[in-house]
Amino acid sequence: NDLVTGINLSGTGPVPAAEIAALLQTKEGRILNMGTLRSDVERVQDHYKTKGFTAVVSQDVVIEKGILNIPVIVSTIDAIKIAGATKTRPIVVVREMKSKVGDYFNVDELGKDITRIFNTNLFEDLSPSIIQKGLGKVEITLNVQEKRTGIVSVFVGYSSRNSLVGGAEVGEENFLGRGQQVSLRWDTGGVANRNSFELSFLEPWVDRRHTSLQASVYDKTVYRFGQSIGSLGTGGFNSDDYYEVHTGGQVTVSRPLSEKARG
């Protein structure tokens, strides 16, 4: 075999070529040994696997005029598909993923993506399917099972403090399949004997930086009750009991500070 006078690594992608070169037992200034070269190929591929990537050393390994050419092919994402979603729009799923079409495929990053998708609370189940589409191309299919996201509740009650109270609440946690949340709550009765309502809306993605916007308007009654020891056991209402009428609105804007915190 030829004398190795140089080694040329190509296509190393997300892993620096110097890091791959340090793994090789094939060295410059030595006669090329095919057994050592095969071990190098396995070592390189295993190294990518430990980092979550899928890579192969091409069969086009050749030595020309003493230069050993070792081409590495790291798999990239060719397509991302969503299967099983009848209501949720694909963008609601894809925007939670840091893995994008054209990026190097990394199974560890995909696992984090799946966690973020589950955290939307829109899906009952989610399982990925990875298909190798030719050399260096991966297709990701996310098979999802949607949750029931509509909420309807009606309630009625009676107490010595509040008298007869009742109300209803309707909500949707996946409005129009966009991942938006809308809710309306209505209460009536009580000591104040007035109607209360609160309408709220949440847009989880305002821009690409995952800024969220939550807004609400309300006209509601808030009851305050005496907590002093002297008021215990007196029966009925005491002078410390009162209620407040809150009318207004609230807007909250937040943005991720890290994977686990928002500000």
Side-chain angles (χ1 to χ4, degrees):
N1 292 337
D2 292 344
L3 177 70
V4 179
T5 59
I7 298 176
N8 178 36
L9 284 161
S10 61
T12 57
V15 181
E19 185 175 331
I20 299 301
L23 301 172
L24 303 179
Q25 297 300 310
T26 300
K27 304 295 184 182
E28 297 179 13
R30 298 180 184 176
I31 299 295
L32 179 63
N33 183 292
M34 299 307 296
T36 302
L37 182 60
R38 282 192 291 270
S39 297
D40 287 339
V41 168
E42 294 178 1
R43 194 177 296 108
V44 169
Q45 294 176 167
D46 289 343
H47 186 68
Y48 276 94
K49 188 175 181 180
T50 60
K51 291 180 174 288
F53 297 104
T54 301
V56 296
V57 175
S58 172
Q59 295 181 351
D60 299 329
V61 176
V62 294
I63 184 168
E64 296 177 340
K65 297 180 180 180
I67 303 299
L68 179 62
N69 294 291
I70 305 178
V72 181
I73 302 174
V74 186
S75 294
T76 59
I77 302 173
D78 185 63
I80 298 175
K81 298 181 179 180
I82 312 300
T86 57
K87 178 180 180 179
T88 307
R89 302 191 181 193
I91 185 60
V92 174
V93 179
V94 174
R95 69 189 180 188
E96 298 289 341
M97 302 176 66
K98 290 190 175 180
S99 302
K100 304 296 182 183
V101 173
D103 290 350
Y104 291 107
F105 171 68
N106 187 291
V107 67
D108 297 332
E109 191 61 53
L110 179 60
K112 295 177 183 179
D113 290 338
I114 291 174
T115 299
R116 281 190 288 269
I117 295 169
F118 263 124
N119 287 342
T120 63
N121 203 33
L122 299 178
F123 303 103
E124 194 75 37
D125 190 23
L126 191 157
S127 59
S129 176
I130 312 300
I131 301 174
Q132 195 76 37
K133 292 185 62 180
L135 193 60
K137 297 293 183 182
V138 167
E139 180 181 282
I140 302 174
T141 300
L142 299 178
N143 302 287
V144 301
Q145 180 182 346
E146 295 173 311
K147 282 185 176 181
R148 294 183 178 180
T149 53
I151 300 172
V152 178
S153 63
V154 178
F155 53 91
V156 63
Y158 176 83
S159 73
S160 58
R161 281 183 163 181
N162 282 335
S163 300
L164 185 66
V165 297
E169 182 176 7
V170 293
E172 172 58 58
E173 295 184 348
N174 192 11
F175 185 61
L176 300 178
R178 297 177 180 268
Q180 300 166 336
Q181 298 178 18
V182 179
S183 66
L184 173 63
R185 180 185 175 99
W186 165 74
D187 299 276
T188 190
V191 175
N193 193 27
R194 67 185 303 273
N195 292 320
S196 299
F197 79 89
E198 182 169 6
L199 175 65
S200 63
F201 172 79
L202 170 64
E203 170 55 72
W205 281 81
V206 176
D207 57 23
R208 293 184 178 181
R209 298 182 64 181
H210 200 175
T211 303
S212 66
L213 171 67
Q214 184 171 11
S216 64
V217 291
Y218 49 81
D219 181 359
K220 58 186 179 181
T221 306
V222 179
Y223 291 96
R224 307 294 189 186
F225 299 110
Q227 300 296 325
S228 63
I229 295 178
S231 67
L232 298 178
T234 57
F237 295 100
N238 59 65
S239 60
D240 292 331
D241 294 336
Y242 66 96
Y243 67 87
E244 301 169 350
V245 176
H246 292 195
T247 303
Q250 179 174 306
V251 176
T252 303
V253 179
S254 70
R255 177 173 289 174
L257 302 176
S258 65
E259 285 288 337
K260 298 182 180 180
R262 297 180 67 90

